[in-house]
Amino acid sequence: MGFKRSVCGKFLLAYVFITTGMAVNVLQLMTSPLGWLGLRHQKREIVAKLTYLHWILIPAIAQWWSDIEVSVTSHPDDAAKFGKENAIVLLNHKCQLDWVITWVVANCFGVMQQIKAVAKKSLMYIPIVGWAFWFNDFVLIRRNLEADRPIFKKSFELFSSITSKFWLLTFLEGTRFTTEKHRLGVKYALENGLEPLKHHLVPRTKGFALMTQGLRDTVPAVYDATLCFRDQQNPTLVDYVSGGSYHADIIIRRIPMECIPADELACSEFVHNVFKEKDDFVEFHQKNNAFPINTTILEGYVTKKLHKSRIAFYVGLAWSFLQIVPLLYFILLGLFTGTWLQIIFTVTIIATIFVTMNLILDSGTAKSSYGADSAKTK
């Protein structure tokens, strides 16, 4: 644990993740001519495989470096369909590791390379991570529904042509939970005749209605996913790269698309009811470190702990060898030869890695104008 939390340990971890991401981004960029030649399907398949080679490091770090355990609660009949059908995944947004745990679960069910998500367009400018979002056809929006409608429409057309199974992730709260944002959410709920939520922000329902309308023929189900960490822990990305040990529980309920109202107002009511149930799940979990299985609403549900991914371990080990050995070579060569060029090159690499790592970690900090534009986006 001491090495993991040391500057050297964090640097080497960041170095492998960032240099691998840069290499994959370059290879993905090189697939662009395939799109110009009309081979868009082939281009997407290659990009997805390249994405897997980088994103597999996320569960590798979580499960083998940080020793994060993940348990999934679901109905066996639903679990049998995970990874075998397209799905909109409706997530809560409680902490910085929501994304990480989702990647671990998606890797378990074989869809990590085909994860899509609705995300802020500004994320596209984050080195490595944002570029990967762009290459993988994430729905990058401005959070202005009228301006975003053409973006959604274009994405829906694209998703309808994808032959591999994908998960489209969406955080309807729009931003991560904080005490101040929750206060604003409660105020908005009371002013608009809604029941205030205790553990979530008021969901933005219009975008979800747009998604379910536009993807009704492409996506057979919505997965309502609620994530909690045991002992009410709230780990950060810094904890993640520092090797912190945590246990995440996620409950996934499969809701057939035909059960989602097509009418916008009815769909809005449906979403608010789902979030009330999410609130109850979180409340129960905080008191019991588990979800309320074998109750009326969760009859027949079971909880299973995911196995550590051996493929993630071996791929992570291979990338570490390929990236760290050349770095050590240049550092040792610089120490023994002492040329200014080699010293400057080594210092530049180290500085670039630290700057990029801080940009990525800073992107996990909750930043939003939540509450200022509620009337326009809810």
Side-chain angles (χ1 to χ4, degrees):
M1 180 62 72
F3 175 74
K4 293 179 181 180
R5 293 190 177 275
S6 68
V7 174
C8 182
K10 293 177 185 177
F11 170 77
L12 290 177
L13 187 71
Y15 174 76
V16 171
F17 183 82
I18 291 169
T19 53
T20 299
M22 291 178 65
V24 167
N25 285 162
V26 170
L27 292 173
Q28 290 173 326
L29 184 62
M30 292 172 64
T31 66
S32 298
L34 294 177
W36 304 335
L37 295 172
L39 302 174
R40 294 181 179 83
H41 171 71
Q42 291 82 349
K43 175 181 179 292
R44 290 195 199 104
E45 288 298 315
I46 294 172
V47 166
K49 288 179 171 59
L50 290 170
T51 297
Y52 177 83
L53 290 177
H54 182 222
W55 282 357
I56 193 67
L57 291 177
I58 297 173
I61 295 169
Q63 295 183 306
W64 295 96
W65 174 269
S66 295
D67 195 30
I68 294 176
E69 296 182 331
V70 180
S71 295
V72 176
T73 298
S74 61
H75 193 282
D77 292 343
D78 293 345
K81 297 178 181 178
F82 296 164
K84 298 177 181 178
E85 63 180 358
N86 298 332
I88 296 173
V89 183
L90 183 56
L91 290 150
N92 61 335
H93 209 359
K94 294 290 288 182
C95 73
Q96 289 187 7
L97 296 195
D98 294 340
W99 290 88
V100 172
I101 303 306
T102 305
W103 257 245
V104 173
V105 175
N107 181 55
C108 173
F109 293 110
V111 294
M112 186 181 63
Q113 68 274 19
Q114 286 291 2
I115 283 181
K116 315 296 179 186
V118 180
K120 296 180 294 184
K121 188 175 182 178
S122 59
L123 293 176
M124 184 176 69
Y125 304 106
I126 299 172
I128 314 302
V129 175
W131 302 340
F133 289 176
W134 183 78
F135 280 120
N136 285 277
D137 300 312
F138 276 43
V139 186
L140 301 172
I141 61 174
R142 298 179 179 87
R143 290 184 172 177
N144 181 305
L145 189 61
E146 293 308 313
D148 290 331
R149 283 184 187 275
I151 299 173
F152 276 111
K153 183 179 179 181
K154 182 178 178 181
S155 295
F156 298 158
E157 292 173 354
L158 186 152
F159 295 157
S160 66
S161 66
I162 296 177
T163 55
S164 302
K165 304 307 178 186
F166 66 84
W167 285 3
L168 175 60
L169 313 183
T170 180
F171 295 93
L172 296 191
E173 294 164 275
T175 184
R176 196 166 50 257
F177 185 98
T178 66
T179 302
E180 176 59 19
K181 292 172 187 174
H182 180 252
R183 183 188 67 79
L184 293 172
V186 170
K187 181 174 180 290
Y188 175 88
L190 293 174
E191 290 174 350
N192 289 272
L194 300 171
E195 182 179 338
L197 300 171
K198 184 176 181 180
H199 302 287
H200 298 89
L201 307 178
V202 178
R204 303 166 186 250
T205 63
K206 291 183 179 179
F208 180 76
L210 196 63
M211 281 188 284
T212 52
Q213 289 168 8
L215 292 172
R216 197 162 287 267
D217 295 330
T218 304
V219 175
V222 169
Y223 295 170
D224 171 38
T226 304
L227 171 68
C228 296
F229 279 88
R230 294 188 183 178
D231 302 319
Q232 299 188 41
Q233 293 177 314
N234 185 24
T236 65
L237 287 174
V238 174
D239 296 323
Y240 169 65
V241 300
S242 299
S245 181
Y246 304 94
H247 196 128
D249 288 313
I250 184 168
I251 181 170
I252 306 176
R253 299 186 296 166
R254 182 183 184 274
I255 305 172
M257 187 60 79
E258 56 265 27
C259 296
I260 311 293
D263 176 74
E264 186 176 300
L265 289 178
C267 186
S268 176
E269 183 179 356
F270 167 84
V271 171
H272 285 296
N273 288 334
V274 167
F275 268 80
K276 289 175 189 174
E277 293 171 344
K278 283 180 176 290
D279 232 36
D280 293 339
F281 292 155
V282 173
E283 179 74 12
F284 187 92
H285 191 279
Q286 288 189 353
K287 296 177 180 178
N288 301 277
N289 273 337
F291 291 115
I293 59 176
N294 295 323
T295 58
T296 302
I297 193 171
L298 298 178
E299 186 176 355
Y301 278 62
V302 296
T303 299
K304 292 185 178 180
K305 188 167 74 172
L306 301 183
H307 295 295
K308 291 184 177 181
S309 171
R310 293 189 178 275
I311 294 178
F313 174 79
Y314 291 128
V315 174
L317 192 65
W319 276 124
S320 298
F321 178 81
L322 290 172
Q323 304 291 4
I324 292 176
V325 169
L327 176 66
L328 294 177
Y329 171 78
F330 280 108
I331 291 176
L332 293 174
L333 193 65
L335 289 174
F336 285 110
T337 62
T339 65
W340 280 106
L341 182 61
Q342 289 158 342
I343 292 174
I344 292 173
F345 179 76
T346 302
V347 171
T348 300
I349 288 179
I350 293 173
T352 302
I353 294 300
F354 272 115
V355 170
T356 306
M357 178 178 69
N358 287 330
L359 284 172
I360 293 174
L361 293 178
D362 186 60
S363 70
T365 304
K367 299 174 183 176
S368 173
S369 58
Y370 183 87
D373 58 351
S374 295
K376 293 188 296 181
T377 57
K378 296 281 191 309

